[in-house]
Amino acid sequence: MHTILRPHRTWAALGAAAVTALVLTACTDDGARTLRGTASASASTVPTAPAAGVLAPGGETSDIATGLDAPWSVVRTGDGVDALVSERDSAKVLELTAPGKTREVGTVAGVTGGGEGGLLGLAMHDGDLFVYSTAEDGNRIQRYDLTGSAGSYALGDATTIIDGLPSNSFHNGGRIAFGPDGMLYASVGDAGTGSDAQDRDSLAGKILRLTPDGDVPGANPFPGSPVWSLGHRNVQGMGWTADGTMFASEFGQDTWDELNVIEQGKDYGWPEVEGKGGEDQGFVDPVQQWSTDDASPSGLAVIGDTVFVANLRGEVVRAIPASSPAESAEYFTGDFGRIRTVLEGPEESLWFVTNNTDGRGDPTEGDDRIVSVPLA
């Protein structure tokens, strides 16, 4: 068991109107970056406590699962702790059947790992398991029949929803989620070619919107195209509030990681703009940005009026009021190492997933793990 700590103050909360920020060249999104120079950048204030009405971790943490190998995504399959977990490098789907108990559901065939590729996002819809993974000819989304029941799930037949998505050893995107409209949303990274994020004919650097069968919905902003929004570098988390507002977390490169509110057909600026400052050019600015040293924002979950964001390099969970998304509070700073994703747990709890065994962290005994903490 771990005792929860109070929110920590970030460098941005020091009150300076401007700071001298390191300009970094990204070797990977969630790992090493090498020093290239300096530049002046504005900093926004981050409060040390959550806004009124915002959920926050409020008790002792407990391990739900340990001994995982580079876990990437977790989806719950019922009201209790039963859940499915993707392991990026092994391409295995595991089932969490009880606290501390996991079993192998199956291995996704044809996955080619390496770097940030492999078995990535999971999503559930109408009893089927949707899987985002890297194959030889690009990233793809498949729908699996999930046979059996809780405690005995197995992977049935696979149907390819979309394939040939841009891929590389980095910037693969990989998050999938079903929106309140019943459509499948998928983040596709720029695969290392930033200019493709501005090309509407390329699916790189985009958020896609598809039907569960892989068709293009008629209400998409560009006729015949699955593109929902563009100008993204590498979106890693997506979620919706009760009123349908869509949030997305995104890895930056040189200076700023981002939290964005996503609107159909809008351009979020990459690679022309990183962070705020693109509105005069017709781009949408992030609602909050963080130094790349302090964030690498990965998975995202909206619970009530609170947006929770996992952070890899920053090694924190951030809680952000959806109604005031320029604010945030930080929890568990450095306590668990790299944090890959977050999700709503049972009985008013938050689950978060560590990522210390992926080659970029410093694993401790029991890593990687899924951790549960009550919400207050």
Side-chain angles (χ1 to χ4, degrees):
M1 304 283 280
H2 303 270
T3 302
I4 201 168
L5 300 180
R6 291 184 175 274
H8 294 262
R9 182 183 294 268
T10 68
W11 65 271
L14 299 178
V19 297
T20 299
L22 294 177
V23 177
L24 305 165
T25 299
C27 299
T28 61
D29 282 330
D30 54 10
R33 291 179 171 95
T34 56
L35 181 64
R36 183 162 62 83
T38 60
S40 179
S42 297
S44 57
T45 299
V46 179
T48 58
V54 174
L55 294 171
E60 291 187 335
T61 63
S62 59
D63 289 340
I64 299 298
T66 58
L68 303 175
D69 180 12
W72 209 91
S73 183
V74 178
V75 290
R76 292 176 57 217
T77 57
D79 294 331
V81 300
D82 198 84
L84 301 178
V85 184
S86 65
E87 290 189 331
R88 185 191 68 187
D89 299 336
S90 72
K92 292 178 180 178
V93 177
L94 305 180
E95 181 183 7
L96 173 63
T97 59
K101 303 291 185 180
T102 59
R103 56 175 294 273
E104 184 175 334
V105 173
T107 300
V108 175
V111 173
T112 58
E116 295 169 8
L119 177 56
L120 303 176
L122 303 179
M124 290 288 295
H125 183 71
D126 288 344
D128 292 329
L129 179 66
F130 288 71
V131 174
Y132 188 116
S133 65
T134 308
E136 282 191 9
D137 60 351
N139 288 312
R140 62 189 178 176
I141 301 173
Q142 296 170 291
R143 182 180 66 229
Y144 277 87
D145 294 331
L146 194 61
T147 64
S149 58
S152 63
Y153 285 128
L155 296 180
D157 294 334
T159 300
T160 299
I161 300 302
I162 189 171
D163 59 6
L165 298 173
S167 66
N168 205 326
S169 59
F170 47 83
H171 304 190
N172 284 293
R175 195 64 63 183
I176 54 176
F178 280 89
D181 55 3
M183 296 295 108
L184 175 63
Y185 292 76
S187 69
V188 184
D190 70 7
T193 304
S195 58
D196 284 349
Q198 289 295 317
D199 181 356
R200 291 186 186 177
D201 293 328
S202 169
L203 299 186
K206 310 295 192 298
I207 293 176
L208 310 183
R209 179 178 181 258
L210 298 161
T211 71
D213 292 325
D215 297 325
V216 174
N220 275 16
F222 310 115
S225 171
V227 172
W228 186 248
S229 61
L230 65 154
H232 299 292
R233 183 174 178 271
N234 199 7
V235 168
Q236 291 286 288
M238 299 181 294
W240 291 262
T241 59
D243 67 1
T245 301
M246 182 181 182
F247 286 89
S249 53
E250 182 167 349
F251 288 147
Q253 177 170 296
D254 292 334
T255 49
W256 299 115
D257 293 325
E258 301 179 357
L259 177 70
N260 287 295
V261 170
I262 302 299
E263 299 180 52
Q264 64 172 324
K266 294 301 179 67
D267 189 332
Y268 289 79
W270 177 256
E272 304 303 319
V273 179
E274 181 181 355
K276 297 180 180 180
E279 288 186 344
D280 290 344
Q281 303 172 60
F283 302 126
V284 179
D285 278 351
V287 292
Q288 188 166 170
Q289 62 186 25
W290 305 280
S291 161
T292 51
D293 272 346
D294 297 328
S296 292
S298 190
L300 177 156
V302 181
I303 307 176
D305 191 42
T306 307
V307 181
F308 291 96
V309 181
N311 291 264
L312 290 158
R313 189 176 179 127
E315 299 186 352
V316 299
V317 173
R318 286 189 168 92
I320 299 157
S323 58
S324 185
E327 303 175 2
S328 64
E330 297 180 1
Y331 298 88
F332 311 112
T333 303
D335 293 343
F336 293 91
R338 294 157 51 81
I339 301 176
R340 168 62 71 180
T341 194
V342 289
L343 67 152
E344 184 173 5
E347 299 177 353
E348 299 181 347
S349 66
L350 177 74
W351 287 8
F352 59 90
V353 182
T354 70
N355 229 183
N356 297 313
T357 62
D358 68 347
R360 296 174 187 152
D362 297 311
T364 60
E365 185 177 354
D367 279 341
D368 272 314
R369 63 189 72 232
I370 301 172
V371 182
S372 176
V373 62
L375 290 173

